[in-house]
Amino acid sequence: MAERAVAERRTPASRGNSPHNTDGPSAADLLENRLAQLKSLLWCCYGDGIDWFNGAGPTHLGNVIWLAADMVDQAVELHQRCLSERRAPT
């Protein structure tokens, strides 16, 4: 997987006009995004001589921040789901 500079969240590629096309990113796009995030997280945790300002440093730092933002979004969604489940009649 080629490394890309990340200044903000990546926009997954369009799924085209396939008959199986649905709104949103494909599973392959989501998997590629998550793998890039995890690779960067490992690099940050275990990289040797990390230089945050040169080379791959800014890319990996951006990916880790992107990962954290995704996790926050997922936590907010789960929180909203919890609130909805609590309000739902039993």
Side-chain angles (χ1 to χ4, degrees), residues 1 4 15 44 56 60 69 88:
M1 179 180 330
R4 298 180 243 179
R15 296 180 79 175
C44 290
H60 288 300

Side-chain angles (χ1 to χ4, degrees), residues 2-75:
E3 294 191 23
R4 298 180 243 179
V6 176
E8 57 189 52
R9 292 183 192 188
R10 293 183 191 152
T11 302
S14 169
R15 296 180 79 175
N17 293 324
S18 160
H20 302 290
N21 187 12
T22 59
D23 291 336
S26 70
D29 292 333
L30 294 172
L31 179 60
E32 180 183 357
N33 291 344
R34 189 54 46 118
L35 289 171
Q37 292 171 331
L38 292 172
K39 179 180 179 181
S40 293
L41 180 61
L42 290 171
W43 186 86
C44 290
C45 293
Y46 298 104
D48 187 30
I50 295 171
D51 181 354
W52 296 111
F53 303 105
N54 297 302
T59 296
H60 288 300
L61 182 58
N63 283 344
V64 170
I65 291 170
W66 174 35
L67 174 61
D70 279 355
M71 292 175 75
V72 167
D73 290 344
Q74 292 167 0

